[in-house]
Amino acid sequence: MTLAAPAKSGLPLVAIVGRPNVGKSSLFNRIVGRRQAIVEEEAGTTRDRHYGEAAWHGLTFAVVDTGGLMGEAVSGPYATPISEQVGQALEEADAIFFVLDVQTGVLPLDHDVAALLRQASQPVYLVLNKADNAALEAETGEFFRLGLGEPQTVSALHGLGVGDLLDRVVERLPQAPARDDTVSCRLAIVGRPNVGKSSLVNAMLQEERMIVAAEPGTTRDAVDTALEMDGKKIVLVDTAGIRRPGRLGRGVERAAVTRARRAIGRADVVAVVLDASQDIVAQDMHILGAALEAARGLILVLNKSDLIKDDAEVLDRRARQLRWRARFVPWAPAIWSSALTRRNLETLLRTAVTVAEERRRRIPTGKLNALLKRATIEHPPGAVHGRAVKIFYATQTGVEPPTFLLFVNYPDGVHFSYQRFLERRIRSEFGFEGAALRLILRKRGEPNG
C-alpha cells in the first residue's frame, strides 16, 4: 500500500436556525425534496441535527436542520444554549438561514439571535416563513430592524418563494470540489469513543499518521488520508467518537461529532467500528442508524477481536448479539478485525471497494420489472379498503445510493414490511452487498420530480 494525496473536503453547508415552531424542519424537507425531518406543531420537536443533500442550478450542497433555539434573552439563564447552537452553526456552515414566523412577527428571542448572527462572517439570509398569501408577504417591515438585510418571504408548506431563496444562496456558496474519479472508495471510519478507530487507520497505513491514545475522544477532527491497494485508490477518514446528543460536551467535542457526521455524508462507504471485547450497546446502534439514514455503503467491523480470540463462549455471544442487534441490516458484511495483529485489514479495504462498486450498480428496467412481476405473484402486496394494491412499473432512477421508483395505485397501502420484502428480492437477484437501497413509491400519473 502506498500513500497518496489527502482527500478533498465535503460539500458546502447551509444551516437552518431559529426559535421553535417557525417551520425550520418544513423548510429543510422542502429543500432536500423529501420528508426526512419530523414536522409537528409541538414546539421543540427537532432535537438532533438532521443532515441532508440538495441540488439547485447544478450545485450540490448539504443542509442541516437544527433544534429550536430556546430562551428569553441572551443575557438571561438560557444564554449558553442559544449561543452554543448559533455558535456551532457559525463554525461549520458556509451560509445560514435564519427562519422566523411572519405571522407572529419579531419576538424578543429573535432579536437576541439576530445580534449573534450579525457577527457572522458568512452570509445570513433572513427567511420569513408561513407567508401563505399576498397579505402576509407584505408584512415584512418590522423584520428590517433585525439588521440582517432584506427578508425573503417563503411558504415551506406550499413551496412558495423557496426557489427564489435558493437562487440567492447558490450564488454565494463555494463550489464543492470536483469528484476525483481516480478514487475507488471513500471509507469513513466511525464509532463510539475508544473502539480503536485511529488504531485501525494507523495499522492500515503502517505508520503513526493519526494520534492514538487510551482516552476516549482523542481524535478531534476528521483527517483524510489516501492509500493505494491492488492498484485502487482508497481515501480513509478517521473521525471523532460519536456519543449520544445528551452526553456531548461543549465546545470542541461537540464540534468533533458534527464533523464526524459530515464525514459520513461525504463517504461512499461507512465502517461502523464496534469493540468485540465488549457487549454491543445502544450507542453502537445509534451510530449504525446514522450511517443507514445517510444511505451510504455499510460495513460492520468488530475490532479488538484479538482480546477474545481464545474465548469461544464470548465469541459466540458476540456473534449472536450482532445478528440480533443489527438484524435490520442483514445485507451489511461483518468483519472481525484487530489493529494490533492486523487481522483482516486488507479484507476490510477490499470489501469497502466492493461495496462502493455495488452502490454504482445499475439494473436494466426490463430485468427489474421481470423480478417485480415474479415477486408480486409469489407474495401479493395486499389490499386497501378491499381494493388490491397493484405495483404497475419500476425503474432505477439513480445510483450512490441505488434508488428505485415504483408506480403504485395506492402508495400508502404498501406496508413497510412489504417494501423490505421487495428489497430482499432485489438483493437476492442483483447483489448490492453492503449498499443501502432506496425505494420510492409514487402513485401512477404523478411526476417523477
Side-chain angles (χ1 to χ4, degrees), residues 276-322:
S277 68
Q278 300 178 3
D279 285 338
I280 299 172
V281 297
Q283 182 58 7
D284 293 320
M285 295 299 99
H286 173 79
I287 296 166
L288 179 56
L292 181 62
E293 183 180 2
R296 266 48 185 180
L298 185 62
I299 302 174
L300 306 176
V301 181
L302 291 98
N303 193 34
K304 304 185 183 181
S305 62
D306 55 288
L307 299 179
I308 60 172
K309 63 182 178 64
D310 298 323
D311 193 330
E313 182 179 347
V314 174
L315 282 168
D316 179 67
R317 183 169 72 248
R318 197 70 68 246
R320 286 187 285 107
Q321 267 190 339
L322 183 66

Side-chain angles (χ1 to χ4, degrees), residues 212-276:
V212 182
E215 177 189 359
T218 299
T219 301
R220 295 297 190 185
D221 202 349
V223 181
D224 292 9
T225 309
L227 57 86
E228 291 183 5
M229 189 182 71
D230 300 336
K232 295 183 177 180
K233 185 176 176 182
I234 304 169
V235 173
L236 302 178
V237 181
D238 185 33
T239 60
I242 300 178
R243 302 184 180 185
R244 290 190 299 275
R247 298 191 57 184
L248 296 180
R250 297 175 183 172
V252 69
E253 183 178 288
R254 185 180 293 272
V257 173
T258 296
R259 295 188 183 99
R261 292 186 180 277
R262 292 184 70 180
I264 290 175
R266 60 188 171 84
D268 299 310
V269 180
V270 178
V272 178
V273 183
L274 313 171
D275 187 338

